[in-house]
Amino acid sequence: MATAHTGSEPAPTGDAAISINGLKKNFGALEVLKGIDLDVAAGEVVCIIGPSGSGKSTLLRCVNLLEQPTAGTIVVNGADVTDPDCEIDVVRRHIGMVFQQFNLFSHLNVLDNLTVAQRKVLRRSKSEAEQVARKNLERVGLAGREASFPAQLSGGQQQRVAIARSLSMSPSLMLFDEPTSALDPELVGDVLAVMRSLADEGMTMMVVTHEMAFARDVADRVVFMDDGFIVEQGGPHQVIGDPQHERTKTFLSRVLNPTQVDQAGEFTAPATATDQGSSGPAIVQDKPVVDPRDPTR
Ligand SMILES: Nc1ncnc2c1ncn2[C@@H]1O[C@H](COP(=O)(O)OP(=O)(O)OP(=O)(O)O)[C@@H](O)[C@H]1O
Ligand SMILES: [Mg+2]
């Protein structure tokens, strides 16, 4: 479990899997990331929350260089990905990324979706790749669906296939960008359950999410971003249950009480205390119930 931190100071360095220093990213004249310092320790689960447009996806995409930083350094597993001499394809092999849209190959069945990159990139044999794929399908509760095509699966099942595909590349860390936000509410829990089990197994994870109950229960650290900055970070109960900054309080009250509108049409903070007895916003019990004996349900 990570030590809690408040304010915008970075977490202490140590055995950092990801070390981000002074990261800036501009799109033309638009400054999207304005100086991000963030370390993620091996085995740590960091959930990133914040309003739309605050730069969460851009931050995640900079980690595996899907976006080229404007300034700053990002070291992943000891390799400086911002160094022009860095062999980014080698670094990327160790980074799994799961997006809101599942990005499965629609013309390939589940097994082929899971084996194609293993064979091409990792040069695994067909039998080894299939063995790894089957193990990971089982891990996400989808054993037996090898022959299905993406269109024959629910959104939640497709997202679990996408996670299994990432896992089949044997990543040392996983980046998730709102993996459940395109899903019907009743399908969210199964995906979160898979992510929770990955966290329990010690996977290093950076997760952009609006699922506050997940962040509260699974994250070692919650990072609140706004307008290209880290405004506040710390333990989940601290940041979500007892936020210190006004922006964090306002954001959380909107996320946790989306239908609460005052007479002027402005959102208002909840009137009651939290489930932890502190003065921050209440946690909505939005965690869907998953049958642990049958995660495919
Ligand atoms: N490729 C791009 N070109 C130009 N502007 C971009 C690009 N990608 C992102 N932006 C802008 O950067 C800002 C931050 O975008 P980003 O997608 O990182 O936000 P976010 O916090 O992930 O938001 P959301 O919660 O809506 O996903 C936005 O103003 C967005 O329009
Ligand atoms: Mg985003």
PDB file of all heavy atoms in Angstrom, residues 231-258:
ATOM      1  N   VAL A 231      -3.760  18.377  -8.867  1.00  0.00           N
ATOM      2  CA  VAL A 231      -4.204  19.300  -7.819  1.00  0.00           C
ATOM      3  C   VAL A 231      -4.019  18.673  -6.445  1.00  0.00           C
ATOM      4  O   VAL A 231      -3.637  19.336  -5.480  1.00  0.00           O
ATOM      5  CB  VAL A 231      -5.692  19.672  -8.037  1.00  0.00           C
ATOM      6  CG1 VAL A 231      -6.238  20.509  -6.888  1.00  0.00           C
ATOM      7  CG2 VAL A 231      -5.853  20.409  -9.362  1.00  0.00           C
ATOM      8  N   GLU A 232      -4.304  17.374  -6.380  1.00  0.00           N
ATOM      9  CA  GLU A 232      -4.303  16.707  -5.082  1.00  0.00           C
ATOM     10  C   GLU A 232      -4.084  15.222  -5.298  1.00  0.00           C
ATOM     11  O   GLU A 232      -4.584  14.656  -6.263  1.00  0.00           O
ATOM     12  CB  GLU A 232      -5.674  16.953  -4.417  1.00  0.00           C
ATOM     13  CG  GLU A 232      -5.818  16.372  -3.043  1.00  0.00           C
ATOM     14  CD  GLU A 232      -7.033  16.955  -2.317  1.00  0.00           C
ATOM     15  OE1 GLU A 232      -7.746  17.815  -2.875  1.00  0.00           O
ATOM     16  OE2 GLU A 232      -7.271  16.529  -1.171  1.00  0.00           O
ATOM     17  N   GLN A 233      -3.327  14.602  -4.426  1.00  0.00           N
ATOM     18  CA  GLN A 233      -3.177  13.147  -4.499  1.00  0.00           C
ATOM     19  C   GLN A 233      -2.996  12.594  -3.098  1.00  0.00           C
ATOM     20  O   GLN A 233      -2.585  13.294  -2.177  1.00  0.00           O
ATOM     21  CB  GLN A 233      -2.009  12.756  -5.391  1.00  0.00           C
ATOM     22  CG  GLN A 233      -0.659  13.275  -4.931  1.00  0.00           C
ATOM     23  CD  GLN A 233       0.461  12.763  -5.824  1.00  0.00           C
ATOM     24  OE1 GLN A 233       0.629  11.564  -5.979  1.00  0.00           O
ATOM     25  NE2 GLN A 233       1.220  13.670  -6.407  1.00  0.00           N
ATOM     26  N   GLY A 234      -3.331  11.332  -2.937  1.00  0.00           N
ATOM     27  CA  GLY A 234      -3.205  10.713  -1.626  1.00  0.00           C
ATOM     28  C   GLY A 234      -3.931   9.387  -1.597  1.00  0.00           C
ATOM     29  O   GLY A 234      -4.359   8.866  -2.629  1.00  0.00           O
ATOM     30  N   GLY A 235      -4.065   8.833  -0.433  1.00  0.00           N
ATOM     31  CA  GLY A 235      -4.806   7.592  -0.263  1.00  0.00           C
ATOM     32  C   GLY A 235      -6.249   7.807  -0.681  1.00  0.00           C
ATOM     33  O   GLY A 235      -6.766   8.925  -0.598  1.00  0.00           O
ATOM     34  N   PRO A 236      -6.930   6.754  -1.135  1.00  0.00           N
ATOM     35  CA  PRO A 236      -8.286   6.930  -1.667  1.00  0.00           C
ATOM     36  C   PRO A 236      -9.276   7.474  -0.644  1.00  0.00           C
ATOM     37  O   PRO A 236     -10.120   8.301  -0.985  1.00  0.00           O
ATOM     38  CB  PRO A 236      -8.677   5.532  -2.144  1.00  0.00           C
ATOM     39  CG  PRO A 236      -7.679   4.603  -1.564  1.00  0.00           C
ATOM     40  CD  PRO A 236      -6.445   5.376  -1.296  1.00  0.00           C
ATOM     41  N   HIS A 237      -9.159   7.023   0.579  1.00  0.00           N
ATOM     42  CA  HIS A 237     -10.115   7.519   1.572  1.00  0.00           C
ATOM     43  C   HIS A 237      -9.866   8.984   1.870  1.00  0.00           C
ATOM     44  O   HIS A 237     -10.786   9.722   2.206  1.00  0.00           O
ATOM     45  CB  HIS A 237     -10.067   6.668   2.837  1.00  0.00           C
ATOM     46  CG  HIS A 237     -10.646   5.303   2.610  1.00  0.00           C
ATOM     47  ND1 HIS A 237     -11.996   5.063   2.551  1.00  0.00           N
ATOM     48  CD2 HIS A 237     -10.052   4.115   2.364  1.00  0.00           C
ATOM     49  CE1 HIS A 237     -12.221   3.795   2.291  1.00  0.00           C
ATOM     50  NE2 HIS A 237     -11.036   3.184   2.167  1.00  0.00           N
ATOM     51  N   GLN A 238      -8.601   9.355   1.727  1.00  0.00           N
ATOM     52  CA  GLN A 238      -8.263  10.763   1.959  1.00  0.00           C
ATOM     53  C   GLN A 238      -8.782  11.647   0.820  1.00  0.00           C
ATOM     54  O   GLN A 238      -9.495  12.623   1.051  1.00  0.00           O
ATOM     55  CB  GLN A 238      -6.750  10.863   2.072  1.00  0.00           C
ATOM     56  CG  GLN A 238      -6.234  12.254   2.348  1.00  0.00           C
ATOM     57  CD  GLN A 238      -4.711  12.258   2.252  1.00  0.00           C
ATOM     58  OE1 GLN A 238      -4.052  11.221   2.421  1.00  0.00           O
ATOM     59  NE2 GLN A 238      -4.171  13.396   1.954  1.00  0.00           N
ATOM     60  N   VAL A 239      -8.434  11.296  -0.420  1.00  0.00           N
ATOM     61  CA  VAL A 239      -8.791  12.167  -1.542  1.00  0.00           C
ATOM     62  C   VAL A 239     -10.293  12.116  -1.831  1.00  0.00           C
ATOM     63  O   VAL A 239     -10.926  13.140  -2.072  1.00  0.00           O
ATOM     64  CB  VAL A 239      -7.974  11.791  -2.806  1.00  0.00           C
ATOM     65  CG1 VAL A 239      -8.438  12.600  -4.015  1.00  0.00           C
ATOM     66  CG2 VAL A 239      -6.494  12.031  -2.556  1.00  0.00           C
ATOM     67  N   ILE A 240     -10.861  10.911  -1.813  1.00  0.00           N
ATOM     68  CA  ILE A 240     -12.284  10.800  -2.146  1.00  0.00           C
ATOM     69  C   ILE A 240     -13.148  11.088  -0.910  1.00  0.00           C
ATOM     70  O   ILE A 240     -14.196  11.711  -1.004  1.00  0.00           O
ATOM     71  CB  ILE A 240     -12.600   9.401  -2.727  1.00  0.00           C
ATOM     72  CG1 ILE A 240     -11.814   9.197  -4.018  1.00  0.00           C
ATOM     73  CG2 ILE A 240     -14.099   9.243  -2.986  1.00  0.00           C
ATOM     74  CD1 ILE A 240     -11.928   7.807  -4.619  1.00  0.00           C
ATOM     75  N   GLY A 241     -12.675  10.637   0.236  1.00  0.00           N
ATOM     76  CA  GLY A 241     -13.493  10.800   1.451  1.00  0.00           C
ATOM     77  C   GLY A 241     -13.299  12.137   2.147  1.00  0.00           C
ATOM     78  O   GLY A 241     -14.222  12.640   2.798  1.00  0.00           O
ATOM     79  N   ASP A 242     -12.112  12.734   1.997  1.00  0.00           N
ATOM     80  CA  ASP A 242     -11.838  13.961   2.742  1.00  0.00           C
ATOM     81  C   ASP A 242     -10.939  14.892   1.910  1.00  0.00           C
ATOM     82  O   ASP A 242      -9.830  15.228   2.317  1.00  0.00           O
ATOM     83  CB  ASP A 242     -11.156  13.595   4.074  1.00  0.00           C
ATOM     84  CG  ASP A 242     -10.987  14.815   4.969  1.00  0.00           C
ATOM     85  OD1 ASP A 242     -11.694  15.817   4.758  1.00  0.00           O
ATOM     86  OD2 ASP A 242     -10.130  14.750   5.876  1.00  0.00           O
ATOM     87  N   PRO A 243     -11.446  15.294   0.736  1.00  0.00           N
ATOM     88  CA  PRO A 243     -10.603  16.121  -0.140  1.00  0.00           C
ATOM     89  C   PRO A 243     -10.285  17.465   0.503  1.00  0.00           C
ATOM     90  O   PRO A 243     -11.108  18.020   1.228  1.00  0.00           O
ATOM     91  CB  PRO A 243     -11.476  16.299  -1.389  1.00  0.00           C
ATOM     92  CG  PRO A 243     -12.877  16.076  -0.932  1.00  0.00           C
ATOM     93  CD  PRO A 243     -12.801  15.092   0.187  1.00  0.00           C
ATOM     94  N   GLN A 244      -9.082  17.961   0.183  1.00  0.00           N
ATOM     95  CA  GLN A 244      -8.622  19.204   0.810  1.00  0.00           C
ATOM     96  C   GLN A 244      -8.844  20.425  -0.075  1.00  0.00           C
ATOM     97  O   GLN A 244      -9.027  21.521   0.421  1.00  0.00           O
ATOM     98  CB  GLN A 244      -7.124  19.086   1.141  1.00  0.00           C
ATOM     99  CG  GLN A 244      -6.807  17.952   2.092  1.00  0.00           C
ATOM    100  CD  GLN A 244      -7.532  18.103   3.421  1.00  0.00           C
ATOM    101  OE1 GLN A 244      -7.384  19.109   4.097  1.00  0.00           O
ATOM    102  NE2 GLN A 244      -8.349  17.106   3.775  1.00  0.00           N
ATOM    103  N   HIS A 245      -8.777  20.211  -1.387  1.00  0.00           N
ATOM    104  CA  HIS A 245      -8.851  21.362  -2.289  1.00  0.00           C
ATOM    105  C   HIS A 245     -10.291  21.588  -2.763  1.00  0.00           C
ATOM    106  O   HIS A 245     -11.031  20.632  -2.993  1.00  0.00           O
ATOM    107  CB  HIS A 245      -7.942  21.140  -3.503  1.00  0.00           C
ATOM    108  CG  HIS A 245      -6.491  21.237  -3.163  1.00  0.00           C
ATOM    109  ND1 HIS A 245      -5.713  22.311  -3.514  1.00  0.00           N
ATOM    110  CD2 HIS A 245      -5.684  20.398  -2.470  1.00  0.00           C
ATOM    111  CE1 HIS A 245      -4.477  22.126  -3.063  1.00  0.00           C
ATOM    112  NE2 HIS A 245      -4.445  20.966  -2.427  1.00  0.00           N
ATOM    113  N   GLU A 246     -10.634  22.855  -2.942  1.00  0.00           N
ATOM    114  CA  GLU A 246     -11.999  23.184  -3.357  1.00  0.00           C
ATOM    115  C   GLU A 246     -12.357  22.525  -4.681  1.00  0.00           C
ATOM    116  O   GLU A 246     -13.467  22.033  -4.858  1.00  0.00           O
ATOM    117  CB  GLU A 246     -12.165  24.710  -3.489  1.00  0.00           C
ATOM    118  CG  GLU A 246     -12.341  25.423  -2.155  1.00  0.00           C
ATOM    119  CD  GLU A 246     -13.446  24.806  -1.289  1.00  0.00           C
ATOM    120  OE1 GLU A 246     -14.537  24.500  -1.830  1.00  0.00           O
ATOM    121  OE2 GLU A 246     -13.200  24.595  -0.093  1.00  0.00           O
ATOM    122  N   ARG A 247     -11.398  22.509  -5.633  1.00  0.00           N
ATOM    123  CA  ARG A 247     -11.690  21.921  -6.946  1.00  0.00           C
ATOM    124  C   ARG A 247     -12.002  20.430  -6.812  1.00  0.00           C
ATOM    125  O   ARG A 247     -12.873  19.908  -7.488  1.00  0.00           O
ATOM    126  CB  ARG A 247     -10.483  22.114  -7.901  1.00  0.00           C
ATOM    127  CG  ARG A 247     -10.464  23.407  -8.648  1.00  0.00           C
ATOM    128  CD  ARG A 247     -11.731  23.586  -9.504  1.00  0.00           C
ATOM    129  NE  ARG A 247     -11.832  22.658 -10.621  1.00  0.00           N
ATOM    130  CZ  ARG A 247     -12.931  21.967 -10.933  1.00  0.00           C
ATOM    131  NH1 ARG A 247     -14.021  22.079 -10.218  1.00  0.00           N
ATOM    132  NH2 ARG A 247     -12.941  21.151 -11.963  1.00  0.00           N
ATOM    133  N   THR A 248     -11.260  19.764  -5.941  1.00  0.00           N
ATOM    134  CA  THR A 248     -11.519  18.330  -5.745  1.00  0.00           C
ATOM    135  C   THR A 248     -12.906  18.138  -5.134  1.00  0.00           C
ATOM    136  O   THR A 248     -13.668  17.267  -5.554  1.00  0.00           O
ATOM    137  CB  THR A 248     -10.442  17.716  -4.821  1.00  0.00           C
ATOM    138  OG1 THR A 248      -9.182  18.282  -5.120  1.00  0.00           O
ATOM    139  CG2 THR A 248     -10.397  16.212  -4.973  1.00  0.00           C
ATOM    140  N   LYS A 249     -13.218  18.975  -4.162  1.00  0.00           N
ATOM    141  CA  LYS A 249     -14.534  18.861  -3.509  1.00  0.00           C
ATOM    142  C   LYS A 249     -15.661  19.079  -4.512  1.00  0.00           C
ATOM    143  O   LYS A 249     -16.637  18.327  -4.546  1.00  0.00           O
ATOM    144  CB  LYS A 249     -14.646  19.903  -2.374  1.00  0.00           C
ATOM    145  CG  LYS A 249     -13.755  19.603  -1.183  1.00  0.00           C
ATOM    146  CD  LYS A 249     -13.891  20.691  -0.133  1.00  0.00           C
ATOM    147  CE  LYS A 249     -12.832  20.505   0.947  1.00  0.00           C
ATOM    148  NZ  LYS A 249     -12.797  21.601   1.915  1.00  0.00           N
ATOM    149  N   THR A 250     -15.510  20.103  -5.343  1.00  0.00           N
ATOM    150  CA  THR A 250     -16.552  20.408  -6.329  1.00  0.00           C
ATOM    151  C   THR A 250     -16.696  19.263  -7.329  1.00  0.00           C
ATOM    152  O   THR A 250     -17.804  18.810  -7.620  1.00  0.00           O
ATOM    153  CB  THR A 250     -16.194  21.703  -7.096  1.00  0.00           C
ATOM    154  OG1 THR A 250     -15.932  22.724  -6.149  1.00  0.00           O
ATOM    155  CG2 THR A 250     -17.311  22.125  -8.028  1.00  0.00           C
ATOM    156  N   PHE A 251     -15.545  18.772  -7.817  1.00  0.00           N
ATOM    157  CA  PHE A 251     -15.583  17.671  -8.787  1.00  0.00           C
ATOM    158  C   PHE A 251     -16.274  16.453  -8.191  1.00  0.00           C
ATOM    159  O   PHE A 251     -17.167  15.858  -8.794  1.00  0.00           O
ATOM    160  CB  PHE A 251     -14.167  17.306  -9.239  1.00  0.00           C
ATOM    161  CG  PHE A 251     -14.106  16.044 -10.037  1.00  0.00           C
ATOM    162  CD1 PHE A 251     -14.514  16.018 -11.361  1.00  0.00           C
ATOM    163  CD2 PHE A 251     -13.654  14.856  -9.467  1.00  0.00           C
ATOM    164  CE1 PHE A 251     -14.482  14.842 -12.098  1.00  0.00           C
ATOM    165  CE2 PHE A 251     -13.619  13.675 -10.191  1.00  0.00           C
ATOM    166  CZ  PHE A 251     -14.035  13.673 -11.514  1.00  0.00           C
ATOM    167  N   LEU A 252     -15.855  16.089  -6.983  1.00  0.00           N
ATOM    168  CA  LEU A 252     -16.415  14.881  -6.369  1.00  0.00           C
ATOM    169  C   LEU A 252     -17.901  15.044  -6.095  1.00  0.00           C
ATOM    170  O   LEU A 252     -18.674  14.101  -6.276  1.00  0.00           O
ATOM    171  CB  LEU A 252     -15.657  14.549  -5.085  1.00  0.00           C
ATOM    172  CG  LEU A 252     -14.262  13.960  -5.323  1.00  0.00           C
ATOM    173  CD1 LEU A 252     -13.464  13.933  -4.038  1.00  0.00           C
ATOM    174  CD2 LEU A 252     -14.357  12.562  -5.921  1.00  0.00           C
ATOM    175  N   SER A 253     -18.306  16.210  -5.686  1.00  0.00           N
ATOM    176  CA  SER A 253     -19.731  16.382  -5.403  1.00  0.00           C
ATOM    177  C   SER A 253     -20.537  16.241  -6.691  1.00  0.00           C
ATOM    178  O   SER A 253     -21.637  15.704  -6.683  1.00  0.00           O
ATOM    179  CB  SER A 253     -19.999  17.721  -4.723  1.00  0.00           C
ATOM    180  OG  SER A 253     -19.762  18.782  -5.611  1.00  0.00           O
ATOM    181  N   ARG A 254     -19.969  16.671  -7.805  1.00  0.00           N
ATOM    182  CA  ARG A 254     -20.675  16.515  -9.086  1.00  0.00           C
ATOM    183  C   ARG A 254     -20.705  15.058  -9.539  1.00  0.00           C
ATOM    184  O   ARG A 254     -21.719  14.569 -10.031  1.00  0.00           O
ATOM    185  CB  ARG A 254     -20.015  17.359 -10.166  1.00  0.00           C
ATOM    186  CG  ARG A 254     -20.244  18.826  -9.947  1.00  0.00           C
ATOM    187  CD  ARG A 254     -19.565  19.670 -11.003  1.00  0.00           C
ATOM    188  NE  ARG A 254     -19.785  21.079 -10.703  1.00  0.00           N
ATOM    189  CZ  ARG A 254     -19.349  22.066 -11.456  1.00  0.00           C
ATOM    190  NH1 ARG A 254     -18.678  21.819 -12.551  1.00  0.00           N
ATOM    191  NH2 ARG A 254     -19.598  23.311 -11.126  1.00  0.00           N
ATOM    192  N   VAL A 255     -19.582  14.383  -9.381  1.00  0.00           N
ATOM    193  CA  VAL A 255     -19.510  12.987  -9.827  1.00  0.00           C
ATOM    194  C   VAL A 255     -20.382  12.086  -8.952  1.00  0.00           C
ATOM    195  O   VAL A 255     -21.066  11.192  -9.437  1.00  0.00           O
ATOM    196  CB  VAL A 255     -18.049  12.495  -9.793  1.00  0.00           C
ATOM    197  CG1 VAL A 255     -17.969  10.997  -9.993  1.00  0.00           C
ATOM    198  CG2 VAL A 255     -17.239  13.195 -10.865  1.00  0.00           C
ATOM    199  N   LEU A 256     -20.352  12.366  -7.661  1.00  0.00           N
ATOM    200  CA  LEU A 256     -21.047  11.476  -6.735  1.00  0.00           C
ATOM    201  C   LEU A 256     -22.526  11.806  -6.609  1.00  0.00           C
ATOM    202  O   LEU A 256     -23.318  10.972  -6.191  1.00  0.00           O
ATOM    203  CB  LEU A 256     -20.382  11.526  -5.359  1.00  0.00           C
ATOM    204  CG  LEU A 256     -18.909  11.083  -5.349  1.00  0.00           C
ATOM    205  CD1 LEU A 256     -18.271  11.339  -3.999  1.00  0.00           C
ATOM    206  CD2 LEU A 256     -18.786   9.620  -5.731  1.00  0.00           C
ATOM    207  N   ASN A 257     -22.897  13.012  -6.992  1.00  0.00           N
ATOM    208  CA  ASN A 257     -24.297  13.432  -6.897  1.00  0.00           C
ATOM    209  C   ASN A 257     -24.720  14.102  -8.196  1.00  0.00           C
ATOM    210  O   ASN A 257     -25.050  15.277  -8.222  1.00  0.00           O
ATOM    211  CB  ASN A 257     -24.490  14.413  -5.734  1.00  0.00           C
ATOM    212  CG  ASN A 257     -24.044  13.805  -4.428  1.00  0.00           C
ATOM    213  OD1 ASN A 257     -24.780  13.062  -3.807  1.00  0.00           O
ATOM    214  ND2 ASN A 257     -22.816  14.106  -4.039  1.00  0.00           N
ATOM    215  N   PRO A 258     -24.682  13.357  -9.311  1.00  0.00           N
ATOM    216  CA  PRO A 258     -24.875  13.995 -10.612  1.00  0.00           C
ATOM    217  C   PRO A 258     -26.240  14.638 -10.794  1.00  0.00           C
ATOM    218  O   PRO A 258     -26.396  15.506 -11.642  1.00  0.00           O
ATOM    219  CB  PRO A 258     -24.681  12.840 -11.603  1.00  0.00           C
ATOM    220  CG  PRO A 258     -24.883  11.609 -10.821  1.00  0.00           C
ATOM    221  CD  PRO A 258     -24.466  11.914  -9.410  1.00  0.00           C
TER     222      PRO A 258
END
